Amino acid sequence: MHVLHVVGARPNFMKAAPVLRALGNLGQTKQTLVHTGQHYGANMSDVFFSQLEMPLPDVNLGVGSGSHAWQTAEIMSRFEPVLLERRPDFVLVYGDVNSTMAAALVAAKLGIRVGHVEAGLRSFDWTMPEEINRVVTDRLADLLFTPSEDADANLESEGVRPEKIHRVGNVMIDSLVRLLPVAAKVPKNGFPERYALVTLHRPSNVDGSESLKNILQSLVEITESLDVVFPVHPRTRQRIAEFGHHAEKLHLSEPLPYIEFLALESRAEVVITDSGGIQEETTFLGVPCLTIRSNTERPVTVSIGTNVIVGQDREKLRVELAKVVSGNRKTGTVPPLWDGHAGERIAATLGSIEH
Ligand code: UD1
C-alpha cells in the first residue's frame, strides 16, 4: 500500500504526525509526504517537523502566500504532476485549510482515493473559507475519518453513505497526549504566574480595523485581572502594523513552537482564541476556553467540554472572564475516542481496505 499525505499549514502538522507514525508501525506501507508550502519558514513550519518527529517532506511544492484562488490554483497545478508520477493508492488530507481542498480536488480528478482526516465538522457559516474547504473536501473524499458523533451526523444528513464514514476520534489529541509530558518540562521562568493565553488569526476578527481594535481593547482590559500572553500569528501581526493599532500591555511574542505553546496552554488560567484546534486542546486539558467567534464547527467542545462561544461581544467576554478569575470556571469532560490512538485507528482502517 502506498499512502501519500498532504500537509500545508501549521494545524495540519500535528494531525499528520500520528498517522505517519501509526502507518509506519504497521509496516509494509510506502509513505510519501508532500508539503504544499502554504506555511513556511522556521516558526510556522520547520520547527513542527522536528518537534513532532515527522520525516522531512519528500516534496515541497513551495507555494507560499496569496489570495485564496491563487493559492488553491497554484497548489493544484504543482501537485498534479507529483501525483501523476507517484500514483499512490490513497491520498490523505487533513483539516480544512486551502491545501486540504486543493489536494483533494487533484486526487479525485485523477481517480485516486482520498481520505479526509477530520471530516464532517460544520460551522454552517459560509463566510468562513474553511467551511467551503470542509464541505468540498468531504464531498470528494472516499474515506471520511471523523473525530466525533456530530461529524458523523452532519455527513449522514448530507447523504454520505455510512460505510464511507469511520469514526476514529481526534488525531490532533494524539500529538498532544504524546508530547504533554515533554511540555511539562518546559521551564516556567520568563512567563507570568497567572495569565490568559490568546491566539487570534481569523480574517473575520483581524482583517477589519474596527473589529481588531475592539478585540485588542478587550484584551488590554483583561490585564487588570490577569496577564495576557499573546503569540501573534503573521496575519495578525501584519494587520496590527497596517492599522497602526497598539497593544502595549500585552505580552506579545512570535508564533511559538508546538511544545512551548502546549506548555503555555496547559498552564493557562484561561485561553482566549478564534482557532479551531485550540478549542479542542483546551477541552482535553480541562482549561477554560473563550472563543471569539459567533459559531464553532466543534460543538462537542461546548456541549461537554470547557469551551464558551463569546463572539465579538465584549460584555460577554468580560462576564465569562470574571467567572474564571473568581474560580467559577466551566468544567468539562473529554469526548469519546480523544484518547491518543486515533492515528492507529486510521492506519488499521487503511490496512483493512483492498488496494
Ligand atoms: C491558514 C488557514 C486557516 C488556519 C490557519 C492556521 C486557509 C484558508 N486558512 O490561515 O484555516 O486556521 O492557517 O495558522 O487555509 N504568512 C506568513 N508566514 C507563513 C504563512 C503565512 O508570514 O508561514 C502570512 C502571509 O502574509 C499570508 C498570511 O500570513 O498572506 C495569511 O496566511 P494564509 O496561509 O493565507 O492564511 P492563515 O491566516 O495562516
Side-chain angles (χ1 to χ4, degrees):
M1 172 168 70
H2 179 189
V3 178
L4 186 148
H5 308 255
V6 181
V7 295
R10 194 167 58 169
N12 293 155
F13 308 139
M14 40 290 229
K15 294 169 192 167
V19 184
L20 281 153
R21 178 169 289 105
L23 277 169
N25 291 341
L26 213 59
Q28 304 196 324
T29 304
K30 179 177 173 188
Q31 302 198 71
T32 303
L33 181 58
V34 175
H35 189 333
T36 65
Q38 178 175 345
H39 285 176
Y40 42 86
N43 64 8
M44 292 296 284
S45 176
D46 303 353
V47 70
F48 291 88
F49 282 78
S50 54
Q51 290 200 339
L52 294 161
E53 298 171 296
M54 285 169 77
L56 290 178
D58 299 286
V59 180
N60 192 322
L61 304 177
V63 168
S65 305
S67 72
H68 285 270
W70 181 88
Q71 192 175 56
T72 306
E74 202 64 23
I75 295 167
M76 288 181 71
S77 39
R78 294 189 196 190
F79 183 47
E80 187 179 46
V82 173
L83 215 42
L84 282 169
E85 188 200 326
R86 309 244 172 181
R87 284 270 160 204
D89 299 303
F90 297 100
V91 169
L92 286 192
V93 294
Y94 296 84
D96 57 12
V97 300
N98 286 346
S99 300
T100 312
M101 180 190 70
L105 257 168
V106 175
K109 292 221 170 183
L110 291 177
I112 297 172
R113 280 172 292 181
V114 175
H116 183 203
V117 177
E118 201 186 79
L121 300 184
R122 296 289 181 268
S123 65
F124 304 101
D125 175 357
W126 281 99
T127 66
M128 278 184 87
E130 293 81 4
E131 183 71 358
I132 298 171
N133 294 341
R134 288 188 278 264
V135 171
V136 172
T137 305
D138 284 342
R139 189 69 190 85
L140 298 169
D142 302 283
L143 294 156
L144 296 111
F145 296 109
T146 60
S148 48
E149 197 177 349
D150 56 286
D152 294 28
N154 290 335
L155 293 171
E156 280 169 27
S157 75
E158 290 172 16
V160 176
R161 290 199 317 275
E163 61 269 25
K164 290 170 74 176
I165 304 171
H166 303 270
R167 175 129 37 102
V168 292
N170 192 324
V171 80
M172 192 188 57
I173 299 298
D174 290 13
S175 286
L176 188 157
V177 167
R178 199 169 72 82
L179 289 170
L180 195 56
V182 183
K185 294 190 186 124
V186 172
K188 287 188 177 160
N189 48 349
F191 287 106
E193 189 58 32
R194 293 181 71 231
Y195 57 88
L197 175 65
V198 174
T199 80
L200 216 54
H201 73 283
R202 292 279 156 219
S204 56
N205 283 332
V206 307
D207 282 3
S209 176
E210 273 311 301
S211 60
L212 182 56
K213 188 167 148 198
N214 195 32
I215 294 169
L216 291 174
Q217 283 173 350
S218 300
L219 298 177
V220 170
E221 265 171 42
I222 291 172
T223 60
E224 286 162 23
S225 42
L226 279 177
D227 278 295
V228 173
V229 176
F230 182 7
V232 189
H233 188 283
R235 173 192 285 277
T236 312
R237 187 171 288 279
Q238 277 172 21
R239 297 293 180 260
I240 291 175
E242 192 181 316
F243 301 141
H245 291 334
H246 300 281
E248 277 93 12
K249 291 188 176 164
L250 314 179
H251 300 265
L252 303 184
S253 75
E254 290 299 308
L256 292 173
Y258 181 74
I259 290 169
E260 284 71 13
F261 186 81
L262 186 51
L264 271 180
E265 195 180 11
S266 59
R267 296 166 186 164
E269 293 294 313
V270 59
V271 176
I272 300 170
T273 190
D274 59 9
S275 151
I278 292 171
Q279 296 171 51
E280 298 181 335
E281 289 172 346
T282 46
T283 274
F284 184 87
L285 294 167
V287 172
C289 179
L290 307 180
T291 297
I292 306 191
R293 284 175 45 188
S294 48
N295 49 54
T296 180
E297 63 287 341
R298 292 159 162 94
V300 73
T301 61
V302 176
S303 57
I304 66 170
T306 57
N307 189 18
V308 178
I309 303 292
V310 295
Q312 285 191 2
D313 182 339
R314 280 175 79 162
E315 187 50 31
K316 185 141 197 226
L317 180 61
R318 236 191 309 264
V319 168
E320 292 300 328
L321 193 89
K323 286 189 198 164
V324 172
V325 172
S326 66
N328 182 18
R329 52 199 274 170
K330 184 178 179 194
T331 54
T333 52
V334 176
L337 301 178
W338 293 23
D339 58 357
H341 299 288
E344 291 152 38
R345 288 187 280 267
I346 291 172
T349 305
L350 287 170
S352 70
I353 294 171
E354 230 171 90
H355 46 271

